[in-house]
Amino acid sequence: MNIALFSDSYIPTKSGIVTVVVQLRKALEQLGHNVVIVTVEAHGDAVQPEEPDVLRVTSIPSPVGDGQYLGLPHKKLVLDFLQKHHVELIHAHTEFFIGHMGIVAGRELGIPVVATTHTMWEDYYKYYLAMGKIIPRRVIRKGVQLVYKKFYAFINVSQKAHDYFNKPFMLPHIPSAIVPNAIDTCKFTARQCTEADKAALRSKFGIREDDRVVLYVGRVVEEKRVIELLEIMKRVVTERNNAKMLFVGDGGAYDTLVERVQEAGLGDRILFAGFVDWTKLSAYYAIGSIFVTVSLSEMHSMTILEALSLGLPVVCRRDTSFADTVFHGKDGYEGSTDDEVVSYLIDLIDNPDKCAEFGRYALEVSRRFSLDIHGRRTIAFYQKVLEKFPGPVSSEELQAAVDAVELKQS
């Protein structure tokens, strides 16, 4: 099969969507399919790989994310590129101009165009759009409808995404199936973290070997509720002398968090690593005891998949985006309130044996999200789309095709 992935997010930039697209391309190619990419040009000092199967288009800085860009594709260039590679199906990972060009190209070439829904815009827009805090929610819903309504079918990465797009006020008429995100465990854990490596990292941050380290990995931005997480962790480290918090990541709220920690006199208990390259992240997970997030704006968290794959229990706020990854009382806890999150963190800090038991179950859960399974589920979705196109396809048919994929490593 010849497949084109359309995305405003791709290497050398870094984001969850970049990881998703890169991993999907790898999974599809390992299954014997041909994949080309239509994406944005690199900016600044970023090194842009030269790849004949990647078309990079002119782009401008995005208003909805630091270091992200919006592509401004030229129709003829895109069509020529797709025809050259005999593309049979377009899979968009963006709602913006590149996604729209995918729809235009699909119509011109008579091929189906599907999309993955990555972003819960109702939870996201108010942090980035000018005057976002006063824009009515119905305006955002209408905008999402306008940009998504012409796709043939959706891949939803979680039950939360599926439920949202199937609400009566959204796009229930567009057929869809749930295909969860995946984690490339071979690549993620390729760099072996030795005891010496862990000791050096602990020494760098002043972490004792017997400290219980609560870890957050991700963008340090308001929509991830990092301000609320800081308040939670101020309580936890105050109540437990052997607890330390390590924030790994950067973003618009980073300086605010650092300042508040200094004001509270907790600079030796609540620690900040800043941005860490993805290839080095496994070492940070290795010194962690518990992974925490209180974000309510996730679709399907990649960092939770990373934590589970390295045997860390997860404490999070209850949200349907975690329904297939965090199982309460088995591989972690889901708190209905921030107060409950505090109590669950303290419970795991005080009970290392329970923490280890949860970690073992976490490893079992992570195996459900292997790259191979993800690739085969996606191919099953594509095949059903191609079988039915240009006629209608139902959500039931798409989900049945995805669910028929046998859950075992190839």
Side-chain angles (χ1 to χ4, degrees):
M1 192 182 303
N2 298 321
I3 304 147
L5 305 181
F6 280 47
S7 178
D8 284 301
S9 302
Y10 196 63
I11 52 177
T13 59
K14 297 176 176 66
S15 72
I17 296 177
V18 173
T19 302
V20 168
V21 173
V22 170
Q23 290 187 163
L24 176 57
R25 180 186 185 184
K26 177 179 178 180
L28 297 176
E29 289 179 339
Q30 286 179 339
L31 291 168
H33 301 280
N34 302 312
V35 182
V36 298
I37 308 287
V38 177
T39 189
V40 297
E41 64 185 357
H43 283 245
D45 297 328
V47 177
Q48 178 174 295
E50 291 293 332
E51 300 175 272
D53 50 5
V54 176
L55 175 65
R56 293 189 181 267
V57 304
T58 302
S59 62
I60 57 175
S62 170
V64 290
D66 295 336
Q68 303 301 312
Y69 300 92
L70 297 180
L72 302 174
H74 187 280
K75 179 180 172 181
K76 185 177 185 307
L77 288 177
V78 172
L79 288 174
D80 288 348
F81 178 76
L82 298 179
Q83 288 175 314
K84 175 183 175 183
H85 291 278
H86 308 289
V87 168
E88 301 165 73
L89 178 144
I90 294 170
H91 184 175
H93 293 265
T94 172
E95 308 88 338
F96 301 113
F97 302 120
I98 284 183
H100 176 71
M101 180 54 66
I103 293 169
V104 171
R107 187 166 57 239
E108 291 272 344
L109 299 175
I111 61 176
V113 185
V114 302
T116 292
T117 57
H118 287 289
T119 304
M120 187 68 74
W121 284 107
E122 287 194 28
D123 297 328
Y124 191 76
Y125 77 96
K126 59 187 176 182
Y127 297 104
Y128 288 102
L129 295 182
M131 303 179 69
K133 296 189 187 303
I134 64 172
I135 296 175
R137 193 176 294 269
R138 66 178 182 276
V139 173
I140 299 303
R141 288 176 178 172
K142 188 65 176 177
V144 172
Q145 289 175 326
L146 287 172
V147 298
Y148 273 121
K149 68 180 183 179
K150 293 184 180 179
F151 288 108
Y152 179 75
F154 290 154
I155 287 178
N156 296 315
V157 297
S158 65
Q159 188 67 47
K160 178 179 180 178
H162 174 270
D163 292 347
Y164 175 72
F165 280 94
N166 277 276
K167 289 184 182 295
F169 57 78
M170 289 307 298
L171 297 160
H173 63 283
I174 296 183
S176 65
I178 300 171
V179 179
N181 286 329
I183 177 71
D184 187 355
T185 50
C186 293
K187 185 174 181 182
F188 187 59
T189 60
R191 181 182 179 275
Q192 294 298 315
C193 183
T194 66
E195 289 302 318
D197 292 333
K198 289 187 278 188
L201 206 51
R202 290 193 192 100
S203 176
K204 175 181 177 180
F205 291 103
I207 297 170
R208 300 187 303 267
E209 190 168 352
D210 59 348
D211 280 336
R212 307 287 286 160
V213 178
V214 181
L215 188 71
Y216 169 83
V217 178
R219 291 185 299 123
V220 183
V221 289
E222 282 187 60
E223 77 268 15
K224 301 291 187 182
R225 299 189 74 242
V226 293
I227 304 295
E228 292 82 354
L229 178 56
L230 176 62
E231 295 305 311
I232 287 169
M233 292 312 305
K234 283 164 67 175
R235 292 169 59 186
V236 171
V237 301
T238 299
E239 292 185 34
R240 292 296 184 271
N241 291 329
N242 64 332
K244 289 191 174 175
M245 174 69 197
L246 179 57
F247 283 91
V248 180
D250 201 357
Y254 183 90
D255 291 341
T256 299
L257 264 59
V258 171
E259 183 178 338
R260 292 190 182 187
V261 167
Q262 296 305 320
E263 289 173 353
L266 294 171
D268 61 336
R269 309 290 301 283
I270 299 179
L271 314 165
F272 297 89
F275 172 77
V276 174
D277 188 88
W278 190 79
T279 59
K280 300 177 181 177
L281 269 181
S282 59
Y284 287 80
Y285 285 107
I287 66 167
S289 308
I290 306 159
F291 184 88
V292 66
T293 177
V294 292
S295 172
L296 296 172
S297 62
E298 304 298 326
M299 281 293 205
H300 197 253
S301 172
M302 293 297 294
T303 53
I304 282 185
L305 292 181
E306 292 169 359
L308 296 175
S309 74
L310 290 169
L312 282 189
V314 174
V315 177
C316 63
R317 276 292 301 270
R318 188 173 302 279
D319 189 84
T320 51
S321 67
F322 308 134
D324 60 352
T325 51
V326 182
F327 297 89
H328 189 76
K330 292 185 175 181
D331 65 345
Y333 288 124
E334 290 184 290
S336 297
T337 65
D338 288 353
D339 286 341
E340 284 192 1
V341 171
V342 172
S343 65
Y344 289 140
L345 286 168
I346 289 175
D347 177 64
L348 288 178
I349 288 166
D350 290 347
N351 294 281
D353 289 343
K354 181 188 286 188
C355 210
E357 179 186 344
F358 281 16
R360 287 190 289 273
Y361 194 81
L363 285 171
E364 291 182 30
V365 171
S366 73
R367 295 189 184 103
R368 304 172 192 175
F369 303 97
S370 73
L371 210 56
D372 174 66
I373 290 171
H374 179 71
R376 289 190 285 123
R377 284 170 170 161
T378 305
I379 287 298
F381 179 92
Y382 292 164
Q383 287 172 336
K384 182 57 67 174
V385 164
L386 288 168
E387 175 191 325
K388 292 291 185 174
F389 184 83
V393 66
S394 70
S395 295
E396 291 75 17
E397 289 172 311
L398 290 170
Q399 195 64 59
V402 169
D403 292 344
V405 172
E406 191 175 356
L407 296 183
K408 70 176 184 179
Q409 298 289 346
S410 61

